[in-house]
Amino acid sequence: MRDIKSADGQEESNAHSAPLWHGPAAGAISSIASRVVTYPADTVKAQQQLRGVTSARGYSSSTLSAFQQVVRAEGLSGFYRGFGAVLSGVVPATALYFGGYETGKQLIPAGYGFLGDMLVGCYSQAIAGIVFTPVDIIKERMQVQGMMQGAFTYRSTFHAVSSIMHQHGLPGLMKGYWATNSVWFPWNMIYIASYERSKTALAQQLQLRDAGQLPGWGIAICSAGSAALAAWCTHPADVVKTRLQVLSAKQGFHDLRAGDVANQLWQSAGLRGFGQGLLARTLTIAPGAAIQWFIYERVKVHLPSIKSSAT
């Protein structure tokens, strides 16, 4: 693991380096818990980001009204459309992400400081992005298919995958890969750097030996604040990414490019259009990150004792 700097600038090395499989295992467990809690807000975010599209008119710009609209139209189950794709894909994707996070911390020298943390974030996303892209496409299309007036209709996650593969092959599941990474590379660079720095700063403020001694509430606060900051910085790109991955499913739109989407959005809604769904996205990402990283850090700490008791 990367060394943690103390208040006087000296570096304190962790006495023991945890096995690399601890990161993926803890990450997979934490991802399910966070997604269950935050998925309704994620659904509202996706629908709001499609507002203004011809076939999606009539959907409210107010986050509270958008929640109420989903309940009236589809009931509580409407918030969890596409959740099967998340369950089947996010566990291996998150395992890869946290595996990359732990590996990156060991590969990148601690002396790189803030830049090193940003590189760890890039490395984590590069490992996991290949799985996250098809999960995002299926999830987002199922979340908004009710507002697309029959442009596509998927009965289940399996039906969505088979339909996309039949129409466009494997490239259809990777549509918007670079648009996705244009969101999540900078998001992870900002998040990991801010998360690591804020943990160190809080540990110093609490006069702890290192960030590994932070209480659960400290981890949650550092994670939520860092995630919100990263979300605000990358939201315009996320709006374009969501529109690209959804609208490319419409007849005649498969060759749509991110630049085309951004230009159309600017022409129709101006700068305000790139902020659509920001509150809902923040309500998804900030608490989701707090839950996920709190559980991740705690599970990772307890895995050695679980292994020891099993043997």
Side-chain angles (χ1 to χ4, degrees), residues 81 141-150 152-154:
R81 284 192 176 276
R141 290 184 183 179
M142 294 188 72
Q143 285 174 323
V144 305
Q145 67 179 0
M147 62 194 293
M148 296 303 293
Q149 297 183 353
F152 46 85
T153 303
Y154 303 132

Side-chain angles (χ1 to χ4, degrees), residues 2-311:
R2 288 165 58 78
D3 296 330
I4 301 171
K5 289 186 178 181
S6 62
D8 60 4
Q10 298 297 315
E11 293 181 349
E12 297 179 9
S13 300
N14 289 326
H16 302 283
S17 182
L20 290 180
W21 68 267
H22 281 192
I29 294 170
S30 65
S31 68
I32 296 175
S34 66
R35 295 288 180 140
V36 169
V37 173
T38 62
Y39 199 76
D42 187 62
T43 296
V44 169
K45 182 271 295 185
Q47 294 185 357
Q48 286 190 306
Q49 289 181 337
L50 266 291
R51 190 170 57 86
V53 176
T54 301
S55 57
R57 287 176 180 163
Y59 277 70
S60 176
S61 60
S62 163
T63 301
L64 178 59
S65 297
F67 272 97
Q68 294 171 338
Q69 202 163 23
V70 173
V71 173
R72 286 195 300 268
E74 303 180 72
L76 294 178
S77 62
F79 289 113
Y80 285 90
R81 284 192 176 276
F83 195 65
V86 170
L87 284 181
S88 60
V90 80
V91 171
T94 308
L96 286 173
Y97 176 83
F98 281 106
Y101 171 69
E102 294 296 341
T103 304
K105 290 199 297 181
Q106 294 189 20
L107 291 176
I108 298 171
Y112 280 34
F114 192 79
L115 175 61
D117 293 331
M118 296 179 77
L119 290 174
V120 170
C122 279
Y123 183 79
S124 303
Q125 176 59 29
I127 297 294
I130 295 174
V131 181
F132 272 126
T133 298
V135 169
D136 263 359
I137 288 176
I138 296 166
K139 170 184 74 70
E140 286 165 355
R141 290 184 183 179
M142 294 188 72
Q143 285 174 323
V144 305
Q145 67 179 0
M147 62 194 293
M148 296 303 293
Q149 297 183 353
F152 46 85
T153 303
Y154 303 132
R155 296 187 300 271
S156 64
T157 298
F158 177 78
H159 182 231
V161 174
S162 60
S163 296
I164 295 171
M165 287 290 291
H166 176 72
Q167 293 175 343
H168 306 295
L170 185 60
L173 289 174
M174 298 302 293
K175 183 69 177 179
Y177 173 77
W178 291 112
T180 297
N181 281 325
S182 74
V183 176
W184 294 111
F185 269 122
W187 189 93
N188 279 286
M189 290 172 68
I190 296 168
Y191 173 78
I192 295 296
S194 176
Y195 177 64
E196 296 292 351
R197 297 299 103 179
S198 59
K199 281 199 307 179
T200 300
L202 182 58
Q204 292 172 355
Q205 187 68 29
L206 297 176
Q207 298 183 341
L208 302 176
R209 184 175 60 85
D210 57 49
Q213 295 183 325
L214 279 175
W217 62 264
I219 293 171
I221 288 176
C222 293
S223 180
S226 300
L229 173 64
W232 297 335
C233 292
T234 60
H235 190 72
D238 188 64
V239 175
V240 173
K241 183 266 298 181
T242 299
R243 285 181 168 236
L244 175 65
Q245 292 183 326
V246 171
L247 295 179
S248 61
K250 296 179 66 178
Q251 188 69 29
F253 283 79
H254 182 66
D255 292 329
L256 194 65
R257 296 291 182 264
D260 302 327
V261 175
N263 183 60
Q264 185 276 331
L265 182 59
W266 176 261
Q267 295 296 328
S268 63
L271 188 61
R272 179 182 296 182
F274 292 91
Q276 291 175 351
L278 177 58
L279 176 58
R281 185 169 183 241
T282 304
L283 291 175
T284 300
I285 288 183
I291 294 169
Q292 185 165 359
W293 284 79
F294 166 74
I295 295 176
Y296 169 75
E297 299 283 12
R298 286 295 169 261
V299 170
K300 190 176 67 171
V301 167
H302 288 93
L303 277 175
S305 61
I306 294 173
K307 182 181 179 182
S308 298
S309 62
T311 55

